[in-house]
Amino acid sequence: MYNILIEFGILMKLVTLIRMCLNETYSRVWVRKHLSDTFPNRNGLKQGDALSPLLLNYAFKYAIRRVQVNKDGLKLNSTHQLLVCVDDVNILGRNVRTIQKNTKALIVASQETGLEANADKTKHTVIS
């Protein structure tokens, strides 16, 4: 994730601060009327952390850029088309083979960033 942030031009000072937020945070929880001792968060961010959507966007943007390297996709207005909205991705292509190739590339790139693509809901629509 840190390399992705650097690739997108995020200042090293901010990358270091993000690393600290991911690796050096501690929590406490209420158990009935007692507050627990502090314990380290070993993985990820706390629920509701403001960094979560930002880091998700960078990870997703990285994965999408990897798919757009393939120039076999459908062109509309002289640009290759990959339609993305929140957690939904539509890959356009002239044939099923191209769509399958780009879907596989998106899944592989997503896994590199720690994202998980739900390929079970994949539908192929060819536009001619």
Side-chain angles (χ1 to χ4, degrees):
M1 185 69 218
Y2 308 117
N3 292 336
I4 292 169
L5 293 172
I6 293 167
E7 183 178 316
F8 281 108
I10 302 300
L11 296 174
M12 196 60 205
K13 186 174 186 175
L14 292 175
V15 173
T16 301
L17 289 171
I18 290 168
R19 180 177 281 136
M20 287 171 56
C21 288
L22 291 173
N23 296 327
E24 298 176 24
T25 58
Y26 296 86
S27 296
R28 295 173 79 174
V29 295
W30 284 97
V31 180
R32 295 192 182 137
K33 294 183 180 184
H34 303 285
L35 190 60
S36 73
D37 293 333
T38 59
F39 57 91
N41 292 337
R42 300 200 192 288
N43 193 348
L45 298 165
K46 293 184 210 176
Q47 185 174 354
D49 194 302
L51 275 176
S52 296
L54 178 72
L55 295 178
L56 174 66
N57 284 341
Y58 278 113
F60 201 47
K61 190 172 183 176
Y62 172 82
I64 289 168
R65 281 188 178 182
R66 295 287 304 271
V67 173
Q68 290 178 329
V69 169
N70 179 6
K71 299 299 181 189
D72 293 336
L74 180 65
K75 278 190 175 183
L76 299 173
N77 298 327
S78 301
T79 60
H80 291 85
Q81 298 299 305
L82 182 66
L83 307 174
V84 180
C85 181
V86 187
D87 64 349
D88 192 22
V89 178
N90 293 299
I91 300 172
L92 305 178
R94 293 198 184 281
N95 56 56
V96 173
R97 183 188 60 78
T98 298
I99 295 170
Q100 288 172 333
K101 182 178 174 182
N102 287 346
T103 301
K104 189 173 186 175
L106 180 63
I107 290 168
V108 168
S110 296
Q111 289 170 342
E112 288 176 19
T113 64
L115 297 175
E116 187 174 320
N118 186 354
D120 295 336
K121 295 184 180 179
T122 303
K123 295 177 186 171
H124 300 108
T125 304
V126 178
I127 301 171
S128 46

